[in-house]
Amino acid sequence: MKRYTQCSLLPYNTFGIDQKCEELVVYENAADAVALAAEIRAAGPASPLLILGGGSNLLLTRDLEGRVVTAEKRFEVSARETPGDDRSVELRCWAGTCFDEVVAYAVEQGYHGLENLSLIPGECGASAVQNIGAYGVEAKDFITEIEAVSLATGEVVRIPASECRYGYRQSRFKQEWRDQYLILYVTYRLSREFRPHLDYGNIRKVLEEKQIPVGQLTAKQLREAIIEIREAKLPNPEEIGNAGSFFMNPMVDRATLERLKERFPDIRYFEVGEPGVGQGSAALSQDTIRYKIPAGWMIDQCGWKGRSLGRAGVYEKQALVLVNCGGATGAEIVRLMKQIQADVFARFGLEIHPEVNIR
């Protein structure tokens, strides 16, 4: 276990905000996490705690008291056969493993399903908390189990994905289980058969431009196409501080969508089901169908794309991304966020909420 006092968190957040913490603790294995859990229990509930992943979904607005805890950054992935299923394989991944490195490894080994999640920043542990997603695919589609240390008991527990109540960028780890577990490993079940998901965003258009027939598409080519799409519209955090998509896309029912379409005939939307509804072959009813309205489109319609408010701005190529234009504080990013939220509500009557963890 590694410890650092009065530690700058600048290297630990992709927004490039230079705030400090009293103590940063890095756990390297299960024994470390068990010992750390005992320390946290002894300190009591009044002692501040932040469990940190790769910092790619974090906005710091102040120096942090107490402990900041994170898993060691290392690549640790082991493949194992899925009992009773020779068409799939399970990857057990250390929490501090870079998620995109897992996607690259899976594609190389012929394990399929994660291709659409290529280049999403962050670590495997955070994927189980945030239920990361992109281009019609979410982490919950593949997570089978999370191994973690309970801070309340110090025990190593195995939590089935079915108990995590995964939804759009949500899980129990973000709700009632917040700061209650130190995640050790996340297991993903992948397919040995390549069945690409191509009907979200402009994936098919990019493939056509690259002259790749869908029937001849490989997993490696799909990953490359996804990376090309993301790089074209999302800034590199090493060059421009950001946390990727800052806002969640709001969900509306059919009646709300129809009202919006009357006022905005060119409104964009995607049909989705409610979390946990419509799994398997059962058809979605009109009562469970929801429609996702792209927050980036609404922000663009409000004229924010490419604009800034002081040292905080909206990325010129993707209105869903807030950026640190240079030396911005977390408070400046929050001020921009609130102004955008107010403008979107005034124009569309919809509230948009950050998916970024603001501390």
Side-chain angles (χ1 to χ4, degrees):
M1 188 158 25
K2 299 174 183 175
R3 299 177 184 271
Y4 307 90
T5 58
Q6 293 302 314
C7 181
S8 170
L9 294 174
L10 183 60
Y12 295 90
N13 74 96
T14 59
F15 245 122
I17 306 294
D18 190 9
Q19 303 284 174
K20 294 181 175 60
C21 65
E22 282 188 309
E23 182 181 33
L24 175 69
V25 185
V26 181
Y27 62 94
E28 301 174 89
N29 48 49
D32 281 355
V34 170
L36 186 53
E39 292 182 18
I40 293 170
R41 287 199 305 280
S47 181
L49 173 68
L50 171 63
I51 300 174
L52 179 64
S56 59
N57 197 50
L58 175 69
L59 175 61
L60 296 170
T61 61
R62 55 184 171 83
D63 289 342
L64 301 181
E65 299 177 349
R67 289 185 182 87
V68 174
V69 176
T70 190
E72 182 187 36
K73 279 53 174 163
R74 69 171 186 263
F75 182 85
E76 182 186 334
V77 178
S78 59
R80 62 193 185 198
E81 299 297 321
T82 303
D85 183 2
D86 59 3
R87 295 176 298 177
S88 64
V89 66
E90 293 183 338
L91 297 185
R92 180 174 180 260
C93 306
W94 170 248
T97 299
C98 171
F99 182 80
D100 188 56
E101 291 182 9
V102 173
V103 181
Y105 171 82
V107 168
E108 180 181 331
Q109 298 298 317
Y111 308 144
H112 305 301
L114 300 179
E115 296 85 6
N116 289 38
L117 303 181
S118 292
L119 210 63
I120 292 181
E123 299 171 356
C124 292
S127 78
V129 174
Q130 176 74 0
N131 184 25
I132 59 174
Y135 303 104
V137 174
E138 294 180 302
K140 72 174 180 61
D141 302 328
F142 307 98
I143 295 174
T144 60
E145 181 183 76
I146 296 95
E147 298 168 57
V149 172
S150 166
L151 296 185
T153 66
E155 295 179 326
V156 177
V157 296
R158 296 175 180 269
I159 305 172
S162 59
E163 295 183 5
C164 296
R165 294 181 191 164
Y166 282 122
Y168 174 55
R169 304 297 180 271
Q170 290 295 333
S171 74
R172 296 178 78 180
F173 293 108
K174 291 185 69 176
Q175 303 297 330
E176 68 265 35
W177 290 350
R178 182 170 179 152
D179 291 339
Q180 292 190 24
Y181 293 95
L182 298 180
I183 295 179
L184 300 172
Y185 292 92
V186 180
T187 298
Y188 309 91
R189 180 172 296 169
L190 306 181
S191 176
R192 296 182 185 276
E193 302 174 9
F194 178 49
R195 296 187 293 271
H197 297 270
L198 306 177
D199 295 324
Y200 199 101
N202 59 337
I203 298 176
R204 289 185 182 273
K205 179 181 177 182
V206 170
L207 295 177
E208 290 175 2
E209 292 173 351
K210 297 170 76 70
Q211 298 183 338
I212 300 175
V214 172
Q216 300 175 21
L217 178 67
T218 67
K220 183 173 184 290
Q221 289 173 325
L222 177 56
R223 170 170 163 78
E224 290 172 348
I226 295 294
I227 290 174
E228 182 177 313
I229 293 170
R230 290 184 66 88
E231 288 182 335
K233 70 176 184 178
L234 298 174
N236 183 342
E238 295 181 3
E239 299 173 1
I240 305 174
N242 74 93
S245 298
F246 192 92
F247 295 99
M248 293 185 287
N249 297 314
M251 302 280 204
V252 302
D253 58 20
R254 183 73 189 183
T256 302
L257 175 64
E258 292 302 326
R259 287 196 297 270
L260 287 168
K261 287 169 69 175
E262 289 178 3
R263 295 178 56 204
F264 309 99
D266 60 341
I267 191 169
R268 299 178 185 177
Y269 60 92
F270 301 94
E271 183 178 300
V272 295
E274 283 283 74
V277 176
Q279 305 296 324
S281 59
L284 291 170
S285 71
Q286 289 299 315
D287 292 335
T288 60
I289 292 176
R290 293 295 182 267
Y291 300 87
K292 184 187 297 183
I293 310 297
W297 179 84
M298 291 189 291
I299 295 168
D300 191 5
Q301 294 297 302
C302 290
W304 274 106
K305 190 174 184 180
R307 286 178 55 196
S308 60
L309 190 61
R311 296 178 293 184
V314 179
Y315 190 51
E316 61 184 6
K317 296 181 181 179
Q318 171 53 268
L320 198 57
V321 178
L322 304 191
V323 297
N324 182 346
C325 300
T329 65
E332 288 176 291
I333 303 292
V334 169
R335 181 164 67 109
L336 173 62
M337 173 196 77
K338 290 181 177 179
Q339 186 60 62
I340 290 172
Q341 288 175 313
D343 288 356
V344 167
F345 185 79
R347 184 174 176 84
F348 295 96
L350 297 179
E351 294 183 350
I352 57 173
H353 301 284
E355 65 174 78
V356 171
N357 180 16
I358 301 174
R359 298 298 288 255

